[in-house]
Amino acid sequence: MSLPLQSTPGTPLAIAGTFASLAVFLSITAHIAARNVLGDVPVRNAFVVGPVPAAVSFLVATFARTNTPVLFLGLGLALALDGVAIHYLYDRTPRLSAYITLIHFVVSVILGTVLFGILAIIQSAPG
């Protein structure tokens, strides 16, 4: 069963939609992480941070499908660039920026796991 707004897999629209969804998800988790550590922060900074690891994720997924060491290097690069973006956008010390990056990673993994579990439960429901 396809959803009315679902496009054909592999089309430019599907790829752009997937990238945008990942960037928005990572922006939301970046904002949650920054608010958790810094308190009240502008949301516009998070919408600059989110696309950075999303772009690295897309590049690694495109060019290194089965090469495990490259996947781990991509994760390290995404975390490093995420930390650099957080450091410059929030104007904090490198140590505090690294802490916010760690919290961003943890929040993204936890929220992503919960959302994936909810989708898996919904899809496995008897129709």
Side-chain angles (χ1 to χ4, degrees):
M1 177 176 136
S2 82
L3 299 172
L5 296 178
Q6 189 175 19
S7 65
T8 308
T11 64
L13 180 62
I15 294 168
T18 303
F19 175 78
S21 299
L22 179 59
V24 167
F25 172 77
L26 290 173
S27 296
I28 291 169
T29 57
H31 186 65
I32 291 169
R35 281 195 63 132
N36 183 19
V37 176
L38 302 174
D40 193 25
V41 292
V43 72
R44 70 180 176 276
N45 289 353
F47 282 99
V48 176
V49 172
V52 173
V56 173
S57 173
F58 255 69
L59 289 174
V60 169
T62 301
F63 297 114
R65 292 183 181 267
T66 59
N67 193 344
T68 304
V70 174
L71 294 175
F72 284 113
L73 286 173
L75 176 62
L77 180 63
L79 287 171
L81 292 177
D82 192 35
V84 168
I86 287 170
H87 174 70
Y88 284 110
L89 287 167
Y90 293 102
D91 196 28
R92 303 297 174 177
T93 64
R95 184 179 176 123
L96 186 58
S97 298
Y99 181 64
I100 296 169
T101 303
L102 174 67
I103 299 299
H104 182 206
F105 177 75
V106 170
V107 169
S108 297
V109 168
I110 291 172
L111 189 57
T113 303
V114 168
L115 291 175
F116 180 79
I118 290 170
L119 285 174
I121 289 171
I122 289 171
Q123 289 181 347
S124 67

